[in-house]
Amino acid sequence: MKTNKNFDEEELQNRINLAAAYHLADIYGFSDIIWNHITCKTSSKKNTFLINKFGLRYDEITASNLLEIDLEGNILNGDGDINYTGFVIHGAIHKNRKDLHCVMHSHSRSGLAISCLKEGLEILVQDSAMFYNRVSYHDWEGMSTSTKECENIYKDLGKNNTMILRNHGLLTTGKTIGEAFMLMYYLDRACKVQLDLLSTNRDIIKPSNNLLEFAAGQYEDYKYRLGEHEWPALKRMLKKNNSIYEQ
């Protein structure tokens, strides 16, 4: 590991994990050349968050080139610029949801498609049961370049950790970076499955609302927090592939 800036241990680990999330997002199809964002709180001691430097591909992001910005969008640490839309979308949540550590936004192809369907996401398979009655929706307001949209974003998210930005894409959040990433993984896969099923023009077995609520509760009661075991395994994969995210 070549990171040598004067970060304390908590911030350093947050930077390493966030950079890893960018590399993994690139592998799993959640990147969009230089667009979109994944952010996390800098540390428990600061009221700031970390975001990608504008112009870098996801696979170019490292622990040391992440930028630190405050809740007004000012760059406090790092060289370069940010895409202001990232501040508008993510800053709204970091400022108002103190329980959350990480926010992830994606323009994945399947997520974009589902965001345009009037009925939105349909819960059809076991892996998507965790989202039953737990997905918020935010209507498209054009490019997110105005801080006026911030209030609508966090109000629409409410108490949920997952949101579909209509005609725009997907957004997940988590108490950890691993949780936010795995929510995106399962949300994107749920979108893919829905599109696959719709393309068959065959009758679809739809679970009852009672069963879906029961299953969603099972996910909430499960003894392992989402991402707790997946995240170390995913980071081992990056190491095996000689990823540079720790630099």
Side-chain angles (χ1 to χ4, degrees):
M1 182 167 52
K2 297 181 180 179
T3 305
N4 56 11
K5 293 191 177 181
N6 295 320
F7 307 126
D8 66 22
E9 185 59 24
E10 182 186 5
E11 179 175 346
L12 177 59
Q13 291 307 312
N14 285 335
R15 284 176 170 273
I16 289 172
N17 281 304
L18 183 58
Y22 276 100
H23 285 246
L24 289 164
D26 191 51
I27 291 171
Y28 283 95
F30 304 142
S31 60
D32 193 8
I33 308 179
I34 61 169
W35 306 103
N36 297 342
H37 318 87
I38 314 170
T39 60
C40 76
K41 292 180 180 177
T42 307
S43 75
S44 59
K45 306 177 189 68
K46 295 182 176 182
N47 201 21
T48 61
F49 62 96
L50 302 170
I51 192 169
N52 52 318
K53 176 180 175 179
F54 184 60
L56 294 181
R57 301 187 312 270
Y58 275 25
D59 63 303
E60 294 179 299
I61 293 169
T62 66
S64 59
N65 65 31
L66 288 161
L67 304 181
E68 179 185 4
I69 65 175
D70 63 19
L71 297 179
E72 284 70 49
N74 301 304
I75 299 173
L76 304 179
N77 192 354
D79 298 322
D81 297 316
I82 64 169
N83 178 8
Y84 194 72
T85 62
F87 161 69
V88 171
I89 296 171
H90 294 242
I93 298 170
H94 283 297
K95 184 175 182 178
N96 294 282
R97 284 287 302 272
K98 303 301 184 183
D99 58 314
L100 298 175
H101 177 64
C102 179
V103 182
M104 183 171 182
H105 173 46
S106 166
H107 289 177
S108 70
R109 180 174 176 176
S110 57
L112 288 171
I114 293 300
S115 77
C116 297
L117 295 181
K118 189 173 183 179
E119 65 270 24
L121 180 70
E122 291 193 75
I123 310 303
L124 301 169
V125 294
Q126 175 176 293
D127 288 347
S128 64
M130 67 180 76
F131 301 116
Y132 179 70
N133 281 341
R134 290 156 176 82
V135 176
S136 301
Y137 288 85
H138 172 69
D139 288 336
W140 190 42
E141 299 183 27
M143 293 285 287
S144 301
T145 56
S146 172
T147 55
K148 292 180 180 179
E149 190 178 358
C150 289
E151 184 174 359
N152 294 334
I153 288 173
Y154 86 81
K155 283 186 175 180
D156 286 341
L157 179 63
K159 296 181 179 180
N160 290 328
N161 284 3
T162 304
M163 185 159 68
I164 293 177
L165 308 175
R166 292 196 182 276
N167 308 96
H168 186 173
L170 307 178
L171 184 143
T172 60
T173 66
K175 291 181 173 61
T176 66
I177 293 171
E179 181 182 26
F181 187 90
M182 291 310 303
L183 279 172
M184 182 63 73
Y185 173 86
Y186 285 116
L187 181 60
D188 183 69
R189 190 160 75 171
C191 292
K192 290 176 180 175
V193 169
Q194 182 175 340
L195 294 171
D196 288 342
L197 288 169
L198 290 173
S199 70
T200 66
N201 290 318
R202 305 295 294 271
D203 291 338
I204 299 172
I205 299 172
K206 297 186 178 183
S208 69
N209 292 339
N210 287 341
L211 179 55
L212 288 173
E213 184 58 47
F214 171 72
Q218 286 181 305
Y219 275 103
E220 292 175 343
D221 294 339
Y222 197 57
K223 62 181 179 179
Y224 299 122
R225 179 179 294 279
L226 189 64
E228 181 178 353
H229 295 284
E230 299 97 332
W231 191 245
L234 289 168
K235 288 176 68 178
R236 290 197 301 272
M237 180 180 72
L238 289 179
K239 288 183 179 294
K240 184 179 180 181
N241 294 340
N242 296 315
S243 169
I244 63 166
Y245 72 94
E246 290 187 332
Q247 295 182 4

